[in-house]
Amino acid sequence: MAPTSRTASLLLLLLTFLFSSSSSELQKILHPAKDDGSLSLLVVGDWGRKGQFNQSQVAEKMGEIGEDLDIDFVISTGDNFYENGLTGVDDKAFEESFTNIFTAKSLQTQWFSVLGNHDYRGDVLAQLSPVLQNIDSRWLCLRSFVLDAEIADFFFVDTTPFVVKYWTEPENHRYDWREVSPREEYIDNLLKDLDEALKESRAAWKFVVGHHTIRSVSEHGDTEELLENLLPILKENGVDLYINGHDHCLEHISSRDSSLHYLTSGGGSKAWRGTYIPNDDNLQFFYDGQGFMSMQITETSAKMVFYDVFGQPLHELNLTKQFHSYL
């Protein structure tokens, strides 16, 4: 796919700032806000099924909403390629599930992706490889990184290594732990780097993106390892949203003891699990079907909307905060 001028200029920014210096070890990528200081984007997860299970229909409606909102980029919450990630950089599943599906004009912008547990069952290094950007310049997937979008910082976190059962009870699956093992050291370093990056952030909004749920009422439920290890850091640093996939549904749960909201956008293809498991926080919205989410952000407001496979809005969350600046 030939990059558009907008994509080409963004690629220059990526190359310029991917290894920007910071006291935190997390790589930082800069993406400018619009001229009016606003941002708009879409969030989708658990999608990579070569168009099947309504993936193509979700992609079509994403294109329509993306056009209406003039989106700046797209976030993928992981499980990008089913069932077992990619076999290598030449795996046709990359084009069959990504390039050939998300074809709408509005979606020809940068995609920022994290890895899901299904991605870890394949060749992880292939999904992270810049070779894929030569095939489709929209693609960028890293383990953990910070996306600095001026008015908002997005902190992408590699959550799969946290889950103990993938290490101790993999069943018939093979997980690609290259560059991750030993687990405890990897997680300790990641949490330290995330905490430092959150403390350094001067953005009006702090959003953390991971694949696995922290809170969920659907099939997978809460992820205990994230409740224990990740959640305290998010609360301590005043994170506004935790955005995830993993459960194949759309959800909004609000915290009982903090200002944090948990948003699940994992309805990119196969869904309809038929499971409901209550938890201790406040369930605001749950849709057990396919769809995606939009975000419209200014320095003082953030509007999130969930859409179904027909592009119909299902639920809206509006947050506000006072204008602030840092010298």
Side-chain angles (χ1 to χ4, degrees):
M1 172 177 293
T4 63
S5 58
R6 183 178 183 183
T7 302
S9 62
L10 180 54
L11 282 173
L12 179 61
L13 279 175
L14 293 176
L15 291 171
T16 304
F17 296 109
L18 186 58
F19 300 104
S20 61
S21 61
S22 168
S23 60
S24 167
E25 292 297 323
L26 292 183
Q27 295 177 355
K28 179 177 284 189
I29 299 168
L30 298 189
H31 190 299
K34 291 183 173 69
D35 291 341
D36 65 1
S38 68
L39 280 173
S40 57
L41 59 132
L42 300 181
V43 183
V44 66
D46 304 83
W47 43 266
R49 297 184 185 272
K50 303 179 181 178
Q52 299 177 347
F53 297 98
N54 285 341
Q55 184 198 354
S56 294
Q57 287 79 3
V58 171
E60 178 184 353
K61 295 305 175 182
M62 286 176 61
E64 294 176 8
I65 300 299
E67 187 75 25
D68 292 342
L69 300 183
D70 186 24
I71 59 170
D72 298 286
F73 54 87
V74 180
I75 287 175
S76 169
T77 58
D79 278 359
N80 307 312
F81 304 100
Y82 286 96
E83 286 286 330
N84 297 306
L86 296 178
T87 60
V89 294
D90 57 352
D91 190 339
K92 292 301 181 183
F94 177 73
E95 293 166 278
E96 293 168 348
S97 288
F98 180 61
T99 302
N100 299 344
I101 302 300
F102 298 104
T103 57
K105 180 180 178 181
S106 69
L107 303 182
Q108 308 310 304
T109 187
Q110 192 65 47
W111 286 56
F112 298 102
S113 304
V114 290
L115 297 165
N117 53 299
H118 283 268
D119 301 311
Y120 261 97
R121 295 177 187 175
D123 184 344
V124 167
L125 300 187
Q127 228 180 118
L128 303 175
S129 173
V131 172
L132 295 184
Q133 295 170 25
N134 295 330
I135 301 172
D136 192 321
S137 60
R138 296 176 292 172
W139 183 255
L140 181 71
C141 183
L142 300 171
R143 294 189 194 273
S144 300
F145 62 101
V146 181
L147 173 60
D148 178 348
E150 296 187 317
I151 59 172
D153 280 346
F154 296 80
F155 302 83
F156 291 73
V157 178
D158 183 20
T159 59
T160 299
F162 283 81
V163 182
V164 173
K165 70 178 182 181
Y166 299 147
W167 297 80
T168 61
E169 302 173 38
E171 298 177 341
N172 296 322
H173 306 299
R174 182 193 68 84
Y175 290 88
D176 184 359
W177 297 127
R178 287 176 295 171
E179 301 182 0
V180 173
S181 183
R183 173 182 176 272
E184 292 78 10
E185 181 180 346
Y186 179 81
I187 291 174
D188 287 347
N189 288 335
L190 173 53
L191 291 173
K192 175 178 175 291
D193 292 344
L194 175 64
D195 185 52
E196 290 179 0
L198 284 166
K199 285 179 167 56
E200 290 174 2
S201 174
R202 293 296 179 264
W205 300 94
K206 298 179 184 180
F207 306 133
V208 173
V209 180
H211 175 65
H212 289 77
T213 60
I214 292 182
R215 289 295 199 191
S216 174
V217 299
S218 192
E219 180 181 28
H220 293 298
D222 299 346
T223 304
E224 293 300 325
E225 294 90 342
L226 298 186
L227 284 170
E228 179 180 350
N229 295 291
L230 181 60
L231 182 57
I233 293 174
L234 306 192
K235 289 184 175 180
E236 178 184 340
N237 288 285
V239 169
D240 299 289
L241 302 176
Y242 177 73
I243 301 167
N244 61 272
H246 196 45
D247 266 330
H248 298 182
C249 62
L250 306 174
E251 292 180 274
H252 169 205
I253 297 172
S254 58
S255 172
R256 289 184 181 274
D257 59 6
S258 73
S259 59
L260 180 62
H261 294 261
Y262 310 93
L263 303 181
T264 297
S265 183
S269 59
K270 191 175 183 180
W272 305 107
R273 300 300 200 185
T275 302
Y276 174 76
I277 307 170
N279 63 31
D280 295 333
D281 276 322
N282 297 310
L283 178 65
Q284 305 292 342
F285 165 73
F286 172 52
Y287 178 67
D288 188 29
Q290 290 119 344
F292 58 97
M293 184 178 79
S294 69
M295 301 179 69
Q296 295 172 268
I297 308 162
T298 70
E299 188 148 25
T300 58
S301 66
K303 175 182 177 181
M304 283 62 65
V305 180
F306 288 99
Y307 304 86
D308 67 13
V309 68
F310 304 107
Q312 295 300 309
L314 302 174
H315 176 74
E316 184 175 311
L317 166 64
N318 288 280
L319 302 177
T320 60
K321 58 177 57 183
Q322 292 182 340
F323 173 81
H324 65 273
S325 61
Y326 293 86
L327 298 178

